[in-house]
Amino acid sequence: MTLRGQTMYEFFDRLVSTAIPRIRDFRGVNKKSFDKSGNYSIGVEEVTIFPEVDADRLVHPFGMDVTFVIKNSKGPDESRAFLKMMGMPFAE
């Protein structure tokens, strides 16, 4: 599934401000998960970190992979700075 526009920004906001902080012992996302074009990928082990997902209704827990494609990026450093500015909690 590809998200664009307002839906993309709403997902990013929920991921960064609500879902990721619910991960136990969270110390930041990997700051090296960029490809040479500056796209960033993150894996989520269980979608139950999102409060809108009812864990009791899931037959089998599952995760997902999320890739942020950053258009017009000049590479990983520029993309990292952009995502950090947007609130991505990178590990130190």
Side-chain angles (χ1 to χ4, degrees):
M1 172 186 292
T2 300
L3 303 177
R4 292 185 174 89
Q6 188 62 33
T7 307
M8 171 193 60
Y9 288 110
E10 289 172 7
F11 174 79
F12 183 86
D13 183 54
R14 280 198 310 270
L15 177 69
V16 171
S17 64
T18 306
I20 289 177
R22 295 179 68 173
I23 299 172
R24 184 180 15 219
D25 298 328
F26 178 71
R27 291 189 170 84
V29 296
N30 187 343
K31 61 183 176 183
K32 297 180 181 179
S33 295
F34 289 89
D35 65 14
K36 64 183 176 183
S37 299
N39 302 315
Y40 183 71
S41 296
I42 182 174
V44 175
E45 288 187 27
E46 290 192 25
V47 296
T48 55
I49 65 170
F50 291 93
E52 50 271 89
V53 175
D54 183 1
D56 295 333
R57 297 186 70 197
L58 292 178
V59 177
H60 302 286
F62 63 94
M64 67 179 167
D65 294 320
V66 179
T67 299
F68 295 98
V69 177
I70 301 158
K71 291 174 66 173
N72 302 323
S73 172
K74 293 181 178 127
D77 293 335
E78 186 174 278
S79 293
R80 186 178 302 105
F82 172 72
L83 288 175
K84 186 170 185 160
M85 180 190 73
M86 292 288 294
M88 184 65 76
F90 289 108
E92 292 302 320

